[in-house]
Every structure is written in C-alpha cells, then in structure tokens.
C-alpha cells in the first residue's frame, strides 16, 4: 500500500511501478523519487502511522522491523511528532531492530540500542517489553541459540508487518554483507571494510569500529509483508542503480528485494541520479528537451562515442536515442555549435567579472568592477580545497574578499595534535592551570567519549590559526576573515543539532553587514546529515529572509562542490581555469591546514589527502572540457549558479 503522494508535474512523470512503463523498463523494484529526504520521510512515516492505526482498529498488534543509521532519522522524527501532536499511539506496536554491533554495550553512544532510544523509543508510548534489539553483549557461545530465538520471537508475534531499511554502499541491507545467502536468518556476521569505513566517522576512527555485528537475515527481511527502503544522497546513487536495474546477485544483497513484491524504494533527487531514466532518459523514452537536458545529452554522447562536440554526426545522435532532439534542432551541425558555444561561455579567468569587457556571454557581470565577495566555507579548509584557485584570482583581481568559516571544525583535530599544542603552550606561561586541565582531559578521555569544552575550544583554535595562515598567504586581511562558529555544530560528536534561529541569524548578520555582490558556498548534497548540507541549508534560509532587500538584487550565488564530488560537466555555469603555478599555490594554501594532513580523521573511503583529491578533481574537469573540444588547461574549478 502506498499512501497518497502529492507530486508536482515532473514527479508524476516518474511515479510509475517498476518495469511497467517505457521509461522504467530497466527497473526491477518499485521506487518513488522525492525532491528531498525530509518530504519523503514524512510520507514514509504517514504510511507507518496508518498501518499502526489500522492494526489498532482491528484490535491487533503492529509488528515493525526497524533500521538505524542516517537514513531513517527523519522518519523517526516525524513519527515522534505524530505521537506528540496527533495522538499516534505506539501501545499496540512491537518492534524488532535489524541489527547491532558486536560486541557492543547498550550504553555506548554508538550502540543501536542508544540510537533507537534517542531517536524514537524515549519519545513515544511503546511498552519497553515490546522493543527487541539484538543484544551486542551476547557471548560467542550463546550467539547461535540467541539468533534462533530472535527469529522465533518474530514468528510468534505473527511476522513483520512492515520492515524499514537503509542500504549500505556495499549493497547490504541490515548487515547482510556481500555473499549473504538469500535464505539466511538472524546470525553473526563480519562487517565489510567499506561498511566500517562508512561508520568510522561516528566512531572517531576506523580502529574503533567493531568488526562484527548481529543481523537479521535476508530471509527474515523478505518475510516482511511490506518493505520500504530509504536511500538519500549521491553516495548511494551507484548502489541504488545496481540494486534496481542489475541482476540478482549475492554480491549486492539488496538485489534479493527484486523478488519481494511489496517493496518500494524511496529515493531523493541525488540517490536516483544513476537510474537510466534519470541519467540518460533519451535512451528509454521521448523527452521534453529543456536546455539543461540538451547539454546533458550532448556531453554524454560526446563522451560515449569519444568525439569532441563539434565532430558529432547525425548518425551518432540517431544511434543513441536522440533523433527527436535532432528533429527539434535541425541538424547535428546546428546543435553542436549551439552546445559548444554554451560550454565555451562557461570558461572565464575573471570569476568576479572582467572589467570594461562585454559581458553578454560571460558567466559574471563586468560591473561593479570591484565586487564585495563572501566565500562561505563549511569547515575551516573547504575554501582552499574546493576553490583555492578562484579565491586567489578574486583577491588578485582586486575584489573585497571575505571568508566566512561556518563551523569550528573542532572534532576533526586529533588528541595528539591538541596535546602537542597544549604542551607547547604550557612552556610559555607561568599560569599553567588551564592548560594542565586540558592535558588531563585529553589523558583521561575514554574511547568514543566526547571532548571537554576546554579541549574542544583548543581544537577549534588550532583550526582557526591554520585558516588564518592560509588566508594571509592568499593576501586576505584578518579583518575580512570571519569565524561564525555556528552553534548547530557544537555537539562534540559527529551527530549535529538541527539548525536554530541563532545559526540563521549569524548568517544573516554577516550578509547584511557585507552586502555582497557574490556569495560562494559549498553546494554539497551528498549526505543529507553532513555538515556541508546543513551549512548550505543555513545559507538558503538566510537568503530567504534577506532576498527582499535591495542589495540582494545585485547578489549572485555560486556553488562549489566540497572534497568528495564535482559537478557534472553539464551542470557547470562557471569554469575557472588554473595555470600549473596556480595549482601549486592552491596546494600550498591547503598545506597550511596541517591538522587535516597526513592523518585525516574524516576522509571517507578515499585514502588520499585533501590536496591530492582537489588536484585530481580539478585536473579531471579540465580533461573533460578538453575532451569536449575546449583548450587543454592544467586544471579547472567549477561552479553552478544558484538562483533565488
Ligand atoms: C542499520 C542497518 C544498515 C543501514 C545502512 C545504511 O540498522 O542495518 O543496513 O541501514 O548501512 O546506513 P545509513 O542510513 O547510515 O547510510
């Protein structure tokens, strides 16, 4: 059963059962795509609430299989709201959680026991005896029987009415890692390395992530009467595509869900982006050719057939499902030139606009020739990692450049670094009391526990001084460097608070003070709970509040991508080439962020240092531009304009 989903015209186009329509013919699992995870989570919570109520009316218990991780957080938030504001009762609910780390104490902040109570159970009227979460303290001798009993308990209450799932990048559901058998039951399992990498940031380092877990099996999950799997963000796009469009394989255990006929995947605009009908819709259906889609299709074709844009022929277009586009545009010749020009017009060495030049075909306005610019940087280093070359140009070309570090970035400094600075500081003063306390706090810190306020402050200061070294190197006066220390970030853990008025006020105050002509910000949408996305939301909220002000009519917003992804070529509105010397200068600026070098705490599954990633990425963008037929630049930084 799908609850009534209200969709706009573009969404209704893709609200179709799997494989039943021309554009979904590659799809083997029903899925619904939403604009964002918040809207989607509300719909999922509504379906769960409806099921709970229906069961209550029938006088029955409702048996829910629940998941943890970042994906279901907003669903639980909405269920709590429905309980508090709309009297949804959980008194007839029995829950079974999918999994738990092994070994794991219940009171450990990383335990799924803790997670479930923090996000759901502590806030609703579920009876404690109706909550079932695999026990992470079970001994190896007892585990076999324990798992059999867990299965039996699910059967005794009539099986799972509903199972909520997330999906790991390995394709795991629950912790059924690649290789899991379709007939598997609840059992102990060794976690895949990628899964442990993904969990590393919550555990403050991969070494602290348990190697094992207890998980419900594939068969346990498949016996649920209804299954909903949630997937948000670009990180999940590839595995979502393989799961929905690929063949069933134990290497991607989520593909077993193709055999479950009441499963729906709930996706957002990013996680669905690799599906054929989204990525290359011209291959499966007749398209409405918007300007953006034309660019996307021509760039794709150029890459596919390995020819620059100006060498594409009618035959190339016809062979790859684009005859409709050709009919609209006349000939390959006309279309090629049109798209080639569009691409060429994105390139500029003058990111703040070229003074006294005709700007009709340039990405930025020529006037005013000296612009006020704010570069928002979520952490103290994203500015140089993501747009160090453009940053440098803007300063050199005489614009008034302000840097605003949105968060303190304190959790990403190691204890060893903090200790090094404290031990240096203590030699310089006779007033050592405060520093001694810091050193004691570091020494006495238990694994996985939160830093004391004083240690966090020191770690924040380390990042602050590194940032100032970098901004000074790029000739920005200290007065133009702003440390916003947005409060949402200051939890001492990876899990952050929601944005509050105080966060938005700080953003608004700075924009109001500078009245910028240009704002640069990290447009990362990869992880809905990541700091970059929250920082972007804070900016969008601030813009919403300020957009009626006169000076905002003159303000353009440019989004760069953080360390993990780059814009697709067709999305780029401004491409700023860098010379080999500028690449080195950018590298030097990144080097000032020493606490983030050598041993990066939160690097994701990419083991390369940030400067290497940044250089590779910028080189790759330049290479793509070259392959499309542009000049051969050493590196390019890319931006997409955000219209408000
Ligand atoms: C959690 C679980 C896992 C997660 C998956 C996705 O109980 O069993 O399968 O659902 O690892 O995690 P997130 O949502 O954090 O990306």
């Amino acid at each position: 059963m799908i609850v009534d989903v209200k969709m706009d015209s573009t969404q209704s186009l893709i609200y179709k059962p799997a494989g039943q329509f021309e554009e979904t013919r590659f799809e083997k699992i029903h899925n619904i795509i939403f604009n964002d995870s918040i809207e989607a989570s509300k719909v999922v919570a509504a379906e769960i609430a409806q099921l709970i109520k229906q069961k209550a009316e029938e006088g029955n218990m409702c048996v829910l299989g629940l998941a943890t991780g970042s994906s279901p957080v907003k669903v639980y938030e909405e269920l709590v709201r429905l309980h508090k504001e709309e009297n949804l009762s959980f008194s007839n609910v029995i829950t079974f959680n999918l999994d738990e780390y092994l070994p794991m104490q219940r009171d450990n902040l990383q335990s799924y026991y803790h997670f479930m109570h923090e996000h759901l159970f502590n806030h609703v009227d579920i009876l404690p005896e109706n909550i079932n979460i695999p026990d992470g303290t079970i001994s190896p001798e007892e585990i076999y029987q324990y798992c059999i009993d867990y299965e039996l308990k699910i059967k005794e209450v009539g099986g799972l009415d509903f199972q909520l799932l997330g999906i790991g990048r390995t394709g795991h559901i629950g912790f059924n890692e690649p290789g899991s058998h379709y007939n598997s039951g609840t059992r102990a399992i060794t976690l895949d390395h990628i899964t442990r990498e993904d969990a590393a940031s919550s555990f403050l380092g991969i070494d602290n992530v348990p190697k094992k877990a207890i998980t419900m099996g594939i068969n346990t999950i498949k016996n649920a009467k209804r299954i909903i799997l949630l997937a948000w963000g670009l990180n999940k796009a590839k595995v979502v595509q393989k799961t929905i469009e690929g063949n069933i394989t134990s290497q991607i255990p989520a593909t077993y869900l193709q055999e479950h006929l009441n499963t729906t995947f709930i996706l957002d605009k990013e996680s669905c982006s690799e599906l054929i009908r989204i990525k290359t819709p011209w291959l499966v259906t007749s398209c409405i050719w918007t300007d953006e889609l034309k660019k996307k299709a021509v760039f794709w074709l150029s890459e596919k057939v390995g020819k620059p844009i100006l060498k594409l022929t009618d035959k190339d277009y016809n062979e790859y499902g684009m005859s409709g586009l050709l009919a609209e545009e006349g000939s390959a010749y006309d279309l090629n030139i049109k798209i080639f020009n569009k691409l060429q017009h994105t390139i500029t060495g003058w990111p703040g606009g070229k003074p006294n030049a005709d700007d009709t075909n340039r990405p930025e306005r020529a006037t005013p020739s000296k612009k006020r610019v704010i570069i928002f940087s979520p952490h103290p280093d994203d500015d140089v990692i993501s747009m160090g070359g453009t940053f440098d140009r803007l300063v050199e070309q005489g614009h008034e450049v302000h840097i605003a570090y949105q968060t303190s970035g304190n959790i990403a400094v190691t204890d060893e670094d903090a200790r090094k600075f404290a031990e240096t500081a203590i030699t310089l003063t006779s007033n050592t009391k405060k520093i001694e306390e810091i050193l004691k706090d570091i020494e006495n810190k238990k694994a996985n526990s939160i830093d004391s306020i004083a240690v966090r402050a020191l770690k924040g200061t380390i990042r602050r001084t590194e940032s100032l070294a970098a901004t000074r190197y790029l000739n920005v006066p200290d007065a133009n460097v702003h440390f916003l220390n947005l409060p949402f970030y200051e939890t001492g853990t990876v899990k952050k608070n929601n944005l509050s008025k105080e966060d938005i006020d700080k953003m608004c105050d700075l924009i109001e003070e500078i009245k910028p002509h240009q704002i640069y910000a990290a447009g990362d949408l990869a992880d809905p709970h990541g700091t970059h996305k929250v920082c972007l939301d804070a900016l969008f909220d601030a813009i919403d509040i300020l957009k009626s002000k006169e000076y905002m009519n003159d303000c353009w917003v440019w989004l760069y991508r953080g360390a993990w992804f780059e814009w697709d070529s067709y999305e780029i509105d401004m491409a700023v080439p860098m010379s080999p010397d500028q690449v080195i200068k950018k590298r030097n600026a990144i080097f000032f962020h020493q606490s983030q070098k050598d041993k990066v705490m939160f690097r994701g599954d990419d083991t390369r240092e940030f400067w290497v990633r940044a250089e590779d990425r910028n080189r790759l963008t330049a290479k793509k531009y070259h392959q499309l037929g542009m000049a051969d630049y050493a590196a390019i930084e890319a931006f997409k304009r955000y219209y408000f």
Side-chain angles (χ1 to χ4, degrees):
M1 170 207 51
I2 312 281
V3 290
D4 181 27
V5 185
K6 295 208 175 26
M7 298 200 176
D8 62 34
S9 56
T10 48
Q11 280 178 323
S12 64
L13 184 77
I14 46 187
Y15 179 42
K16 304 270 176 69
Q20 300 294 305
F21 295 84
E22 52 170 330
E23 67 270 36
T24 64
R25 75 171 192 264
F26 286 96
E27 296 176 13
K28 296 157 189 163
I29 297 179
H30 176 235
N31 59 84
I32 308 179
I33 299 165
F34 287 83
N35 274 326
D36 64 62
S37 58
I38 299 175
E39 185 194 344
S41 298
K42 287 190 178 145
V43 174
V44 175
E47 177 171 331
I48 297 173
Q50 200 167 314
L51 183 66
I52 297 174
K53 281 190 241 161
Q54 180 200 321
K55 289 277 177 183
E57 273 162 26
E58 295 163 2
N60 288 327
M61 297 303 282
C62 180
V63 186
L64 301 179
L66 298 179
T68 55
S70 61
S71 308
V73 170
K74 296 272 181 236
V75 173
Y76 297 146
E77 212 171 286
E78 175 66 4
L79 285 173
V80 171
R81 192 197 66 77
L82 289 171
H83 169 69
K84 292 202 167 134
E85 292 174 19
E86 297 184 21
N87 295 326
L88 173 67
S89 172
F90 286 72
S91 56
N92 68 319
V93 172
I94 301 176
T95 62
F96 286 89
N97 261 82
L98 280 166
D99 40 22
E100 178 61 280
Y101 290 110
L102 202 61
M104 181 56 74
Q105 297 295 325
R106 283 177 166 192
D107 59 0
N108 188 313
L109 289 183
Q110 311 310 331
S111 76
Y112 285 168
Y113 182 93
H114 177 84
F115 177 100
M116 287 310 300
H117 285 79
E118 189 191 4
H119 288 281
L120 184 66
F121 298 147
N122 288 347
H123 315 286
V124 297
D125 60 342
I126 187 165
L127 299 171
E129 59 270 30
N130 287 346
I131 297 173
N132 300 280
I133 303 175
D135 182 355
T137 64
I138 208 83
S139 70
E141 298 76 48
E142 290 167 310
I143 210 154
Y144 180 71
Q145 190 55 44
Y146 179 85
C147 292
I148 292 175
D149 292 346
Y150 201 76
E151 287 280 328
L152 279 177
K153 205 163 175 193
I154 297 174
K155 284 208 181 90
E156 269 164 23
V157 295
L160 300 166
D161 294 308
F162 180 101
Q163 177 65 55
L164 190 61
L165 295 175
I167 182 167
R169 285 188 309 130
T170 57
H172 71 214
I173 47 176
F175 275 139
N176 292 284
E177 297 287 19
S180 293
H181 197 265
Y182 73 93
N183 223 0
S184 51
T186 302
R187 68 205 187 285
I189 192 157
T190 299
L191 296 175
D192 194 279
H193 186 72
I194 296 183
T195 300
R196 293 184 64 238
E197 284 274 11
D198 283 348
S201 58
S202 334
F203 281 88
L204 300 180
I206 189 159
D207 298 341
N208 304 324
V209 183
K211 296 198 170 61
K212 288 177 182 286
I214 303 183
T215 181
M216 280 186 196
I218 297 290
N219 196 41
T220 332
I221 294 170
K222 273 177 54 190
N223 279 335
K225 298 176 188 81
R226 165 81 172 134
I227 296 177
I228 282 193
L229 182 145
L230 314 169
W232 320 131
L234 277 180
N235 263 333
K236 302 286 171 75
K238 288 219 161 71
V239 75
V240 163
Q241 183 273 331
K242 287 183 194 151
T243 304
I244 293 179
E245 294 177 351
N247 293 329
I248 296 176
T249 162
S250 68
Q251 287 312 301
I252 302 175
T255 55
Y256 290 131
L257 295 172
Q258 292 179 11
E259 288 175 337
H260 186 278
L261 299 179
N262 198 9
T263 290
T264 298
F265 279 21
I266 302 286
L267 310 174
D268 65 4
K269 278 200 300 211
E270 284 76 36
S271 63
C272 72
S273 59
E274 291 287 327
L275 293 180
I276 289 177
R277 70 183 150 123
I278 305 296
K279 193 173 180 174
T280 50
W282 49 88
L283 294 178
V284 282
T285 185
S286 44
C287 297
I288 300 161
W289 288 102
T290 59
D291 278 354
E292 181 166 286
L293 196 61
K294 282 180 201 167
K295 245 169 117 183
K296 185 176 179 178
V298 175
F299 290 4
W300 174 86
L301 184 63
S302 158
E303 194 179 325
K304 185 88 191 164
V305 299
K307 291 183 192 174
I309 296 172
L310 291 177
K311 286 191 179 163
L312 295 172
T313 61
D314 284 10
K315 184 165 168 280
D316 295 326
Y317 282 102
N318 288 332
E319 265 177 15
Y320 286 93
M322 293 180 215
S323 49
L325 176 58
L326 268 196
E328 244 180 65
E329 294 291 325
S331 68
Y333 179 81
D334 295 324
L335 178 58
N336 291 351
I337 292 201
K338 184 165 152 185
I339 301 296
F340 178 87
N341 284 340
K342 274 189 196 297
L343 180 65
Q344 198 167 38
H345 295 157
T346 62
I347 301 174
T348 183
W350 297 83
K354 186 170 185 183
N356 309 317
D358 174 7
D359 58 9
T360 326
N361 286 322
R362 291 178 173 277
E364 249 298 349
R365 303 146 292 173
T367 52
S369 55
K370 298 286 171 244
K371 294 191 172 60
R372 288 185 299 276
V373 179
I374 304 181
I375 298 176
F376 282 105
S377 176
H379 300 97
D381 65 358
D382 294 305
D383 52 341
V384 282
I385 290 173
S386 303
M387 54 170 290
T390 306
F391 176 164
D392 183 41
R393 287 264 166 124
L394 288 164
V395 177
E396 284 196 343
Q397 290 168 358
H399 301 288
E400 181 186 316
V401 178
H402 293 258
I403 309 295
Y405 296 109
Q406 290 172 280
T407 69
S408 69
N410 54 15
I411 63 162
V413 177
T414 60
D415 291 343
E416 292 75 21
D417 262 348
R419 183 182 204 145
K420 177 175 81 185
F421 282 94
E423 282 174 351
T424 310
I426 211 164
T427 63
L428 303 175
T429 173
S430 51
N431 188 359
T432 56
K433 192 162 164 274
K434 204 170 149 197
I435 310 177
E436 275 165 21
E437 271 167 24
I438 288 179
L439 284 166
K440 213 181 296 154
D441 288 347
I442 296 174
E443 209 168 304
N444 297 337
K445 189 176 153 188
K446 293 203 195 83
N448 284 332
S449 63
I450 297 176
D451 280 328
S452 68
I453 305 251
V455 173
R456 267 188 263 164
L458 171 63
K459 290 183 172 179
T461 309
I462 292 171
R463 299 213 64 184
R464 191 184 169 111
T465 48
E466 289 171 349
S467 302
L468 283 168
T471 51
R472 284 173 196 156
Y473 173 71
L474 293 176
N475 294 321
V476 178
D478 287 0
N480 288 7
V481 185
H482 312 264
F483 295 93
L484 299 185
N485 290 328
L486 294 183
F488 85 86
Y489 183 88
E490 296 305 317
T491 57
T493 70
V494 169
K495 184 174 177 293
K496 304 297 186 292
N497 293 324
N498 286 335
L499 279 173
S500 69
K501 186 172 174 304
E502 210 186 324
D503 296 296
I504 313 300
D505 285 350
K506 284 189 170 205
M507 295 287 293
C508 288
D509 289 351
L510 186 74
I511 298 174
E512 180 80 26
E513 183 196 325
I514 314 284
K515 301 190 173 44
H517 302 101
Q518 280 193 326
I519 287 177
Y520 289 86
D524 277 289
L525 304 165
D527 166 12
H529 302 286
T531 297
H532 283 216
K533 172 74 166 74
V534 183
C535 286
L536 186 63
D537 287 344
L539 174 66
F540 289 168
D541 287 355
I543 289 176
D544 254 355
I545 293 170
L546 299 174
K547 67 181 173 202
S548 57
K549 306 257 175 168
E550 175 90 35
Y551 65 86
M552 286 303 278
N553 292 332
D554 224 12
C555 176
W556 287 19
V557 177
W558 293 100
L559 300 179
Y560 60 83
R561 280 270 162 102
W564 283 269
F565 291 95
E566 184 52 282
W567 297 111
D568 257 323
S569 311
Y570 76 92
E571 294 174 304
I572 298 173
D573 294 315
M574 178 160 72
V576 182
M578 285 187 281
S579 67
D581 283 349
Q582 281 171 321
V583 172
I584 302 290
K585 193 164 179 193
K586 170 171 173 168
R587 183 190 302 175
N588 289 337
I590 298 174
F591 281 175
F592 284 105
H593 295 276
Q594 278 175 332
S595 68
Q596 305 306 300
K597 259 188 69 43
D598 302 332
K599 188 169 178 259
V600 181
M601 276 178 90
F602 301 115
R603 58 170 195 212
D605 62 332
D606 189 338
T607 52
R608 296 169 305 162
E609 285 195 29
F610 286 122
W611 67 273
V612 184
R613 289 191 219 186
E615 282 182 21
D616 271 0
R617 196 175 84 178
N618 296 157
R619 202 178 305 122
L620 190 68
T621 309
K623 193 169 152 209
K624 283 188 181 161
Y625 263 59
H626 185 48
Q627 281 165 347
L628 291 167
M630 298 294 129
D632 191 2
Y633 296 106
I636 288 181
E637 286 178 345
F639 302 87
K640 183 171 171 61
R641 182 150 171 218
Y642 170 72
Y643 293 88
F644 55 87

